[in-house]
Amino acid sequence: MSHDPTIDFEANTTPKLSTTPESTEFSTTFVLSDEDHTMGNSLRYMLNQNPNVILCGYSVPHPLVATLHLHVQTKNITAWEALKQALRDIQEMCDHTGAVFDQAETAYYAEGGTGH
């Protein structure tokens, strides 16, 4: 199965996601533009929870350039599939966190909380 390794979220901009030339199906270095340690650490954590991920690490090559290099090595699934699953898992975690916060906030104000 082939895929387009470049996703352009906004026309006429640098691609948000690309891969390095030496990348293979099961060993890929993804280059994410306009991202930093926040996304890198989240993706690294989530990818390392996947039993099909052999190795995952990231770097921000220069502190003044908002570019993240994420290296993923996998077995049984492609690195691309592992990345997509990690992004879905992060989205689910954020959705759950938002829902729990909203419930707690509603309960707080229902009990007479003032917000101060």
Side-chain angles (χ1 to χ4, degrees):
M1 178 174 131
S2 105
H3 68 277
D4 180 2
T6 304
I7 298 174
D8 190 357
F9 290 104
E10 296 177 15
N12 301 320
T13 63
T14 304
K16 182 72 172 174
L17 176 65
S18 61
T19 58
T20 57
E22 68 275 0
S23 294
T24 65
E25 189 175 11
F26 297 99
S27 179
T28 303
T29 300
F30 298 99
V31 180
L32 290 85
S33 58
D34 297 324
E35 294 298 345
D36 58 15
H37 292 284
T38 303
M39 181 59 76
N41 198 39
S42 299
L43 283 169
R44 181 200 54 80
Y45 173 81
M46 204 56 75
L47 281 159
N48 281 321
Q49 302 305 305
N50 186 333
N52 290 308
V53 173
I54 298 168
L55 177 130
C56 176
Y58 79 93
S59 66
V60 176
H62 194 281
L64 297 178
V65 179
T67 301
L68 172 76
H69 290 205
L70 178 72
H71 185 73
V72 182
Q73 288 182 333
T74 60
K75 61 180 181 182
N76 303 322
I77 63 171
T78 66
W80 183 249
E81 291 167 339
L83 177 62
K84 287 191 292 187
Q85 184 59 51
L87 289 167
R88 283 191 290 269
D89 292 345
I90 290 170
Q91 182 64 54
E92 288 177 20
M93 184 180 291
C94 290
D95 291 345
H96 174 73
T97 301
V100 169
F101 179 85
D102 289 344
Q103 290 172 354
E105 182 182 36
T106 300
Y108 172 78
Y109 287 118
E111 295 172 4
T114 62
H116 297 288

